[in-house]
Amino acid sequence: MKLLTLNFLTCAIKTCKSTPASFPLHPRDAELEIAETDLNLAFLKSILARLLWPELRTICSEFGLPTLPESRPEPADLVDPDSSEGEEESPSQTARDLHRVLLETCMREGKLVCGNCGHEYAVKEGVANFLLPAHLV
Amino acid sequence: MSRPEDLLPPDLFYNDSESRKYTTSSRIQKIQSDMTHRALSLLNLTHPSMILDVGCGSGLSGEILSQSEEEGTPAGPHVWIGFDISSSMLGVALEKEVEGDLFLADAGQGVPFRAGTFDAAISISAIQWLCNAESSDESPAGRLSRFFNGLYASLRRGGRAVCQFYPKNDEQKKMVSQAAVKAGFGAGLLEDDPGTKNAKTYLVLTVGGGELDGDITGVVKGMDGVDVMDHRRRTKDRKRGEDRKGSKAWIVRKKEQMEKKGKVVKATSKYTGRKRRIAF
Ligand SMILES: C[S@@+](CC[C@H](N)C(=O)[O-])C[C@H]1O[C@@H](n2cnc3c(N)ncnc32)[C@H](O)[C@@H]1O
Ligand SMILES: [Zn+2]
């Protein structure tokens, strides 16, 4: 599961959804892996504004990853200033770093824990189990 | 031919062998791929998007979402997240190393993503399953409403969803589309090859606030066989007692399900010994 996904995933329990403590879910006993994929600059640009940046920083530090800059980059920061005019834009180092963190860094095993209700979602082979027992739906 | 939905709950129907058979059938691959492309043309995406695939199965649609514009996917490649109730289907998707993130989850329990996460959502041949409640403390109406409410919230303003599904009959078609309208969607039904055995029903949903402002008419206007759902007309036309009639049907269905319970139990013990790729 990509770190990108963790910036959008919430606890599935109805009473948690409205409380801020249910987001982001906190990794426990996590095993990470890198899965390389092509960088998609147009996608990065469009998702940038939708990220919750402080929460992304929190998750990175909980995983023990290098600290992200305090403030979110601007869309213009994602484009290599040296890309020559007329040519297709090429990604900046910032874009490459962001791509690495969001789309290539994946949680493979472990648990995701809700900060509000304490419910634990198991993650195996990168797949999280979000099936709820009937009494929690 | 009997509908799989009437035989077993989805996670038992799509067991290891059925999931493999389903995914490797070239006939099924072709049909699911055609429907995915149809859904993509209705979504009308203009940039690489964040897409939810509901009932993603083994990722037949997802593989298309991950393809580039040159490979035939409009505005692709997209980034997608899929969820499915069958761990066997997800196991096959893992084996194929699909690009999207996968979740084991039940659409009838909601959509666990924060508000405005997705640009679009797609669901191919899955949501008719929501009309079969699996246990006594759930009703199809409750499951449909949890799903559509969750889906609505998880989409961005101006976002769209396209759900191709196989309604059992007109009543079910109505039940599904009305649940979507009730959740706040602008909704239109599009039917390809109506009246034939290849008939395909697409529920096209819009979230207000964007350029479309919830107006489905613009999306489906001019397409043949499109039935635009009008929220106001629908509520006015709803007669008293219709709910009761519905609940009678609901009881009948429940009774049928009780009868089938025996089958489910037998089938469960038959499959329990089998190895699944992701065992939670
Ligand atoms: C006919 S398959 C379609 C799979 C995939 N969308 C495709 O086009 O190949 C139907 C899928 O819906 C899934 N499904 C049924 N009920 C579901 C539910 N309540 N929540 C999530 N997935 C469900 C099944 O497990 C199955 O994988
Ligand atoms: Zn919770």
Side-chain angles (χ1 to χ4, degrees):
Chain A
M1 186 189 322
K2 302 173 184 63
L3 258 56
L4 173 74
T5 302
L6 283 177
N7 200 248
F8 293 100
L9 191 64
T10 64
C11 181
I13 293 162
K14 203 166 91 193
T15 47
C16 281
K17 266 213 143 175
S18 49
T19 59
S22 68
F23 178 84
L25 299 173
H26 304 284
R28 291 272 157 79
D29 310 325
E31 227 176 80
L32 293 180
E33 69 178 349
I34 295 287
E36 294 195 338
T37 71
D38 292 339
L39 189 149
N40 185 339
L41 189 54
F43 176 78
L44 279 181
K45 278 186 181 173
S46 95
I47 205 74
L48 185 62
R50 226 177 299 170
L51 297 172
L52 288 181
W53 193 259
E55 286 78 358
L56 182 63
R57 296 184 81 227
T58 308
I59 286 284
C60 283
S61 76
E62 287 181 17
F63 277 124
L65 294 166
T67 322
L68 293 181
E70 207 159 307
S71 58
R72 176 200 320 262
E74 296 296 320
D77 301 335
L78 299 182
V79 183
D80 182 1
D82 295 336
S83 354
S84 44
E85 227 176 286
E87 266 178 51
E88 207 185 316
E89 290 177 339
S90 53
S92 63
Q93 188 58 45
T94 305
R96 268 190 276 272
D97 292 345
L98 201 58
H99 173 73
R100 187 63 156 192
V101 171
L102 291 174
L103 291 126
E104 297 190 322
T105 310
C106 302
M107 177 169 171
R108 199 187 147 75
E109 298 285 330
K111 287 181 208 117
L112 291 169
V113 186
C114 172
N116 187 54
C117 71
H119 191 81
E120 294 184 349
Y121 300 91
V123 179
K124 291 188 178 170
E125 300 194 53
V127 180
N129 181 354
F130 268 66
L131 290 176
L132 293 177
H135 71 278
L136 289 178
V137 177
Chain B
M1 213 176 71
S2 59
R3 291 167 56 88
E5 295 84 3
D6 293 332
L7 297 174
L8 284 171
D11 48 332
L12 296 180
F13 180 80
Y14 292 104
N15 59 18
D16 279 6
S17 68
E18 182 61 33
S19 299
R20 202 163 301 281
K21 212 171 79 191
Y22 176 90
T23 310
T24 53
S25 154
S26 52
R27 186 183 64 88
I28 287 174
Q29 286 170 5
K30 169 83 169 69
I31 299 173
Q32 302 312 110
S33 155
D34 288 350
M35 293 191 293
T36 302
H37 282 292
R38 181 69 159 131
L40 272 169
S41 73
L42 293 165
L43 286 177
N44 199 25
L45 301 168
T46 52
H47 59 85
S49 299
M50 178 90 159
I51 303 182
L52 178 68
D53 183 349
V54 179
C56 62
S58 49
L60 293 178
S61 299
E63 286 172 309
I64 293 170
L65 298 178
S66 299
Q67 285 178 341
S68 64
E69 186 105 51
E70 297 78 62
E71 292 167 301
T73 297
H78 304 286
V79 174
W80 58 277
I81 294 176
F83 70 88
D84 201 282
I85 202 168
S86 156
S87 58
S88 301
M89 277 293 215
L90 296 175
V92 177
L94 279 183
E95 282 171 24
K96 292 196 296 174
E97 300 193 8
V98 296
E99 301 238 358
D101 277 345
L102 304 170
F103 286 83
L104 182 64
D106 175 0
Q109 296 187 332
V111 178
F113 292 92
R114 62 179 169 84
T117 296
F118 299 103
D119 296 293
I122 187 175
S123 179
I124 306 294
S125 315
I127 61 169
Q128 71 277 357
W129 283 96
L130 291 174
C131 299
N132 296 57
E134 270 131 55
S135 70
S136 53
D137 42 33
E138 294 181 303
S139 68
R143 289 169 59 73
L144 283 167
S145 118
R146 239 176 275 124
F147 167 59
F148 282 117
N149 284 324
L151 183 66
Y152 185 84
S154 74
L155 285 165
R156 311 185 67 195
R157 304 308 92 181
R160 278 189 204 175
V162 174
C163 305
Q164 177 278 325
F165 70 114
Y166 291 113
K168 184 175 187 166
N169 47 37
D170 280 351
E171 191 195 337
Q172 206 174 78
K173 199 189 290 180
K174 220 166 105 188
M175 175 165 74
V176 170
S177 36
Q178 289 186 351
V181 171
K182 218 170 163 185
F185 282 109
L189 278 172
L190 175 70
E191 219 164 306
D192 284 345
D193 302 319
T196 73
K197 69 174 198 318
N198 294 324
K200 296 287 179 314
T201 304
Y202 296 83
L203 180 62
V204 185
L205 303 172
T206 57
V207 178
E211 29 172 326
L212 275 168
D213 202 25
D215 183 10
I216 188 69
T217 341
V219 184
V220 285
K221 196 170 57 190
M223 292 179 170
D224 278 343
V226 177
D227 195 4
V228 176
M229 318 284 297
D230 186 315
H231 184 47
R232 280 161 309 163
R233 196 176 59 217
R234 188 192 57 80
T235 19
K236 214 171 72 200
D237 281 358
R238 192 163 50 197
K239 291 189 202 74
R240 272 168 160 262
E242 228 176 58
D243 280 347
R244 236 209 283 149
K245 214 163 95 197
S247 71
K248 199 168 157 191
W250 183 73
I251 292 167
V252 172
R253 198 167 21 241
K254 236 176 101 170
K255 273 173 112 175
E256 286 171 3
Q257 279 164 356
M258 294 304 273
E259 244 183 285
K260 279 177 212 132
K261 277 264 163 75
K263 264 192 203 164
V264 172
V265 171
K266 249 205 294 194
T268 308
S269 58
K270 186 172 150 201
Y271 298 118
T272 32
R274 293 209 188 155
K275 190 174 172 283
R276 294 185 180 202
R277 186 111 186 277
I278 351 156
F280 280 103

